[in-house]
Amino acid sequence: MTSRRAEARRGAWQSAVAVTLCCTMALTACSGGGGGGDDGGSGGGDAGKPSGSPAPGRPAADPDPGDFNGDGYDDYVQVVSATSRDRNRSKATLIVVYGSKDGLNPDWSVRIPAGSGSASFTTPLLRADLDGDGFTDLVGSRGPSVLDGASPRRQTFVMYGGARGLDTPQALDVPQDTRPLAVADFDGDGSADLLDAGTGGSGPPMGGTPATDGRLLYGPFGRSGKPQRTAELDLGQHGYAAPSTATTGDFDADGRADVVLTYGFDAEEDESAPSDLHTVAYYEGGEQGLVRDRAREARIAGAVALADGPRVPATGDADGDGTDDLLLPTQLPTAPADGGGGALTILYGATSGLGTGRQATVIGGERRADFGSSPAVGDVNGDKRPDVVVNTPGFRRNDGKVTLLPGGSAGVPSTTGEQSVDAATEGLPGTPNPHYWNAFDHQPPLLDVDGDGRSDVIVFLPLYEKRRGEFLVLRGTGEGLDPRQAQYFTPADIGVPLRLK
């Protein structure tokens, strides 16, 4: 994969991981193969589980964020959780499945448990070359889902990429309360930096201790896991709420990443709430750190606004001009009885600033209200024009639907030639749940798992096959998504039953 392709995709990866974590599905924990395997002390391997690893890859000056071992095939990452039949026990696991010329290879898989008890992975999984060695690394946090005096502390970790894949998790040398929500080069020095968004909040639904300050942890980190320097960030809105999501991209093409923050507080009936609360904040990157730009916030906030909090934006180069664009799931004004208005708004990046160049594109409108969720940019049909893939989670009750919006001659995606795939689409392998609860939604970002230059779409369906589950790879082809060419494998194929014993 070329560095140009890596650069074009980087913004999309930096924002999509947050959505991926929110789409956690049911799996179990076990030990792994690949480049890393199980983290020490978390259980050994069982006979008959997958083994092996991909052939060694090579480092790159600008590594593709999808490819941990530099072999030219993107690799799949997901956080999933298994439950006991009585639902009294659960266990969260990070899984990595490496790509190959034939697609994802279940025999090349890594499984990392979150820990004991109710431990979980508590932040998005972030991809970047943190130590500057030419391989993409994976950053996240794990530990108890609820902190109390008796619980172990949460750990922010890195799994370093290498020629044979990801290494075992290593704790980063950062403060214990670090909550990394994004990774990008915010100061333009060529090294990846981590954005720690802070924790807590005195306002509902948190209603606890005041939100802590955020931090910028500047890279390169090196193998010691220690940042070069740290700068405090006031992101907590007078302690009322810490940011819920962070979406990064270089929207003005100045070589420094910008970031959009969203907040999920509920202040409608809180008379003590600060008067200057905002659901969206926009910061521009610079040599001295992040600087807030309030002028762009109202437009973004209006597009993603919902009664129960803002929808999550995403980043990608949707018009192919080399500059990141901001993708905003939108509910347009509509009659309450209609329940529609779902759309996707694209604000285009420009050297003069986000939204100042090409006129914004609004796709949809006469759709379900949740149309446009989890947008991701890629080239599914290989025509060198950016395509967008979105979800409609509530389609057919909660059955879900994936929609491909292809790029057109005008240079932007549209509904012209759109294609939708759901559990009832003819030609798909596997047996869906008959009660319309299949959650047929893709997990961003888009991946090229077979290295053919076309983006593939991955869906995990835990209720397929009589609740045994199925991973489904909708391959990109010259005609778009071809259900008849879909790759599939089950949790059993990677040694992970969905039900805890």
Side-chain angles (χ1 to χ4, degrees):
M1 296 183 184
T2 65
S3 60
R4 181 179 179 182
R5 179 184 171 196
E7 182 63 30
R9 301 174 67 205
R10 183 162 289 104
W13 284 90
Q14 291 163 351
S15 60
V17 286
V19 179
T20 301
L21 186 67
C22 294
C23 296
T24 297
M25 297 295 181
L27 280 179
T28 190
C30 55
S31 65
D38 203 355
D39 193 21
S42 299
D46 296 340
K49 286 184 178 177
S51 61
S53 60
R58 293 182 294 182
D62 188 14
D64 191 302
D67 183 3
F68 294 121
N69 63 335
D71 65 352
Y73 307 106
D74 283 347
D75 309 311
Y76 177 58
V77 176
Q78 182 62 283
V79 173
V80 292
S81 63
T83 58
S84 60
R85 188 172 297 277
D86 60 9
R87 299 189 179 276
N88 289 329
R89 294 180 297 120
S90 63
K91 195 170 187 179
T93 304
L94 184 158
I95 65 165
V96 183
V97 185
Y98 289 94
S100 72
K101 64 180 179 61
D102 298 316
L104 293 179
N105 188 334
D107 289 335
W108 299 344
S109 55
V110 179
R111 292 153 296 278
I112 304 295
S116 59
S118 63
S120 62
F121 291 88
T122 57
T123 62
L125 299 172
L126 307 174
R127 300 183 182 225
D129 184 6
L130 208 62
D131 59 349
D133 68 347
F135 290 101
T136 296
D137 312 313
L138 186 69
V139 177
S141 296
R142 60 180 175 174
S145 54
V146 178
L147 291 176
D148 56 48
S151 300
R153 302 300 296 271
R154 291 176 180 167
Q155 178 196 69
T156 299
F157 66 88
V158 59
M159 297 173 68
Y160 288 110
R164 292 193 174 275
L166 293 172
D167 204 348
T168 54
Q170 172 184 325
L172 286 176
D173 187 4
V174 296
Q176 288 279 357
D177 62 349
T178 297
R179 187 170 70 100
L181 284 192
V183 60
D185 182 7
F186 294 107
D187 60 353
D189 67 350
S191 298
D193 313 312
L194 281 176
L195 173 62
D196 167 20
T199 60
S202 59
M206 298 300 292
T209 59
T212 61
D213 286 339
R215 306 180 186 92
L216 263 184
L217 307 172
Y218 288 97
F221 281 70
R223 288 290 172 136
S224 69
K226 185 174 183 178
Q228 293 296 309
R229 58 190 177 93
T230 301
E232 297 293 320
L233 295 173
D234 181 10
L235 306 177
Q237 302 203 56
H238 313 291
Y240 199 79
S244 301
T245 71
T247 303
T248 66
D250 186 5
F251 303 118
D252 55 6
D254 67 351
R256 306 179 184 97
D258 314 306
V259 62
V260 178
L261 305 176
T262 67
Y263 294 81
F265 55 78
D266 180 9
E268 184 176 359
E269 298 182 3
D270 185 0
E271 296 181 357
S272 66
S275 60
D276 58 348
L277 287 177
H278 45 275
T279 58
V280 167
Y282 184 87
Y283 288 82
E284 293 186 343
E287 292 183 1
Q288 304 304 316
L290 294 175
V291 178
R292 189 173 171 192
D293 181 359
R294 290 174 171 81
R296 307 191 194 281
E297 294 176 355
R299 188 177 187 184
I300 298 171
V304 299
L306 287 178
D308 57 353
R311 298 175 75 178
V312 180
T315 303
D317 183 7
D319 59 355
D321 67 351
T323 300
D324 288 334
D325 308 311
L326 189 63
L327 285 70
L328 304 170
T330 303
Q331 185 173 0
L332 300 176
T334 184
D338 184 10
L344 180 69
T345 301
I346 304 176
L347 287 184
Y348 295 99
T351 55
S352 53
L354 178 67
T356 63
R358 181 195 291 263
Q359 183 177 358
T361 297
V362 179
I363 303 172
E366 298 178 358
R367 308 293 178 102
R368 281 187 52 91
D370 56 352
F371 171 83
S373 300
S374 307
V377 177
D379 184 6
V380 173
N381 57 14
D383 65 355
K384 310 304 180 184
R385 296 170 177 169
D387 309 313
V388 174
V389 175
V390 298
N391 289 331
T392 308
F395 170 73
R396 202 164 48 223
R397 289 188 251 179
N398 288 285
D399 220 26
K401 178 171 64 175
V402 172
T403 300
L404 168 64
L405 303 169
S409 57
V412 297
S414 72
T415 57
T416 302
E418 74 173 275
Q419 178 186 11
S420 291
V421 182
D422 61 68
T425 298
E426 185 176 353
L428 283 177
T431 304
N433 181 280
H435 303 295
Y436 307 116
W437 206 271
N438 285 290
F440 199 102
D441 306 317
H442 85 105
Q443 288 88 52
L446 303 184
L447 298 161
D448 181 8
V449 298
D450 55 7
D452 67 351
R454 301 184 180 99
S455 300
D456 308 308
V457 178
I458 300 180
V459 181
F460 177 56
L461 301 156
L463 298 187
Y464 261 51
E465 304 300 326
K466 297 182 179 179
R467 297 179 180 265
R468 288 190 290 268
E470 177 178 294
F471 293 94
L472 185 65
V473 182
L474 301 173
R475 296 181 187 273
T477 74
E479 303 302 319
L481 299 173
D482 186 350
R484 295 167 298 180
Q485 297 188 36
Q487 177 198 7
Y488 74 100
F489 54 95
T490 69
D493 292 331
I494 55 175
V496 285
L498 293 182
R499 189 71 71 188
L500 290 177
K501 295 182 179 180

